[in-house]
Amino acid sequence: MKNYQYFLFDLDGTVTDPGEGITNSVMYALQKFGIHERDRRKLYRFIGPPLADSFREFYGYSADEAKKGISFYREYYSKKGIFENKLYPGIEDVLKRMKEDGKTLVLATSKPEFFAGRILEYFHLDSYFTFVAGATMDENRVKKGDVIAYALEQCSITDKRKALMIGDRKHDIQGAKENGLDSMGVLYGYGSREELETAGADYLAETVEDIYGSV
């Protein structure tokens, strides 16, 4: 297998399980529009993609409505939803081993950079990551491909053969391809095997432990 030096990690569905906090935040936002969604599982599809895209695709919102939806979402998320979150068992041990082996770990998430940094600090994971690349609050940088490009630039990663993107949704795999990176899809998150294989993941990890063991 290739000798990767740089590992770019998605956050939601890869490092942490944000299911409760994100779906509660979406429910809160939808209620502001008079929509009372009872099926939490239906809202899991919001985990991963940019929020604006999800509001438009799943509820037919206009660009302005999606912008309002994001604002409502953040009202709840910034105070409560951000902490309705949990680490995937074993993920810290994997990050620790990678760091001890001299690997460079970078967070690359479509979540706003400010929130991503707070989550890493909350779970005491910030010391493992060299850099946190996320979305801007104004949504100018939110697509996964753009976030990955930003991470590569800020970390001066020029030899893309030594970098691997790790995530649980097709957006992670597609974003990696846009930037000429290999990718790994994790099957314990919110994306299916079919989704990740169809997107063209180079590797699949069944469990958290498989992330480092398979490369």
Side-chain angles (χ1 to χ4, degrees):
M1 303 293 274
K2 293 182 179 179
N3 184 24
Y4 297 105
Q5 172 60 36
Y6 307 100
F7 292 83
L8 281 65
F9 277 86
D10 174 46
L11 179 60
D12 293 337
T14 303
V15 174
T16 69
D17 181 352
E20 182 181 358
I22 287 180
T23 53
N24 282 344
S25 301
V26 175
M27 286 178 180
Y28 176 88
L30 292 175
Q31 287 173 5
K32 294 286 188 175
F33 289 95
I35 300 171
H36 299 278
E37 184 56 70
R38 307 297 184 191
D39 186 356
R40 185 182 300 274
R41 292 171 300 175
K42 186 177 177 182
L43 301 179
Y44 284 159
R45 55 190 178 176
F46 274 80
I47 301 173
L51 282 172
D53 291 354
S54 295
F55 279 123
R56 288 195 294 264
E57 180 180 352
F58 305 137
Y59 288 90
Y61 284 12
S62 66
D64 285 344
E65 287 171 332
K67 189 173 181 179
K68 289 180 181 177
I70 291 171
S71 179
F72 292 142
Y73 173 97
R74 288 176 179 166
E75 283 182 10
Y76 182 95
Y77 187 81
S78 63
K79 296 182 178 68
K80 193 171 182 181
I82 188 173
F83 302 119
E84 294 173 328
N85 199 350
K86 57 187 178 183
L87 286 182
Y88 282 109
I91 191 66
E92 184 170 6
D93 290 337
V94 171
L95 297 176
K96 183 178 180 180
R97 279 194 287 116
M98 295 172 83
K99 190 75 172 178
E100 288 175 346
D101 285 350
K103 303 302 182 182
T104 301
L105 310 183
V106 178
L107 198 73
T109 174
S110 289
K111 183 183 293 298
E113 210 165 271
F114 172 72
F115 291 140
R118 287 185 67 193
I119 289 169
L120 290 186
E121 290 173 2
Y122 178 74
F123 287 114
H124 306 293
L125 298 180
D126 47 311
S127 63
Y128 299 114
F129 290 90
T130 299
F131 187 74
V132 175
T136 54
M137 293 294 278
D138 61 8
E139 301 283 301
N140 280 332
R141 182 179 67 243
V142 68
K143 300 289 187 183
K144 184 51 71 81
D146 294 339
V147 171
I148 293 173
Y150 170 68
L152 295 174
E153 179 184 4
Q154 292 299 309
C155 297
S156 300
I157 300 173
T158 55
D159 189 350
K160 296 181 178 181
R161 296 170 300 176
K162 293 186 177 181
L164 181 72
M165 178 66 210
I166 303 168
D168 70 313
R169 299 300 308 275
K170 64 182 180 182
H171 311 84
D172 301 302
I173 310 306
Q174 292 166 347
K177 286 184 178 297
E178 290 171 18
N179 286 279
L181 302 187
D182 286 348
S183 61
M184 173 183 285
V186 300
L187 298 175
Y188 58 81
Y190 287 87
S192 67
R193 178 183 292 272
E194 180 182 7
E195 175 182 333
L196 294 167
E197 287 181 341
T198 300
D202 296 287
Y203 311 101
L204 292 175
E206 294 272 359
T207 67
V208 167
E209 289 75 19
D210 289 338
I211 290 176
Y212 196 40
S214 63
V215 296

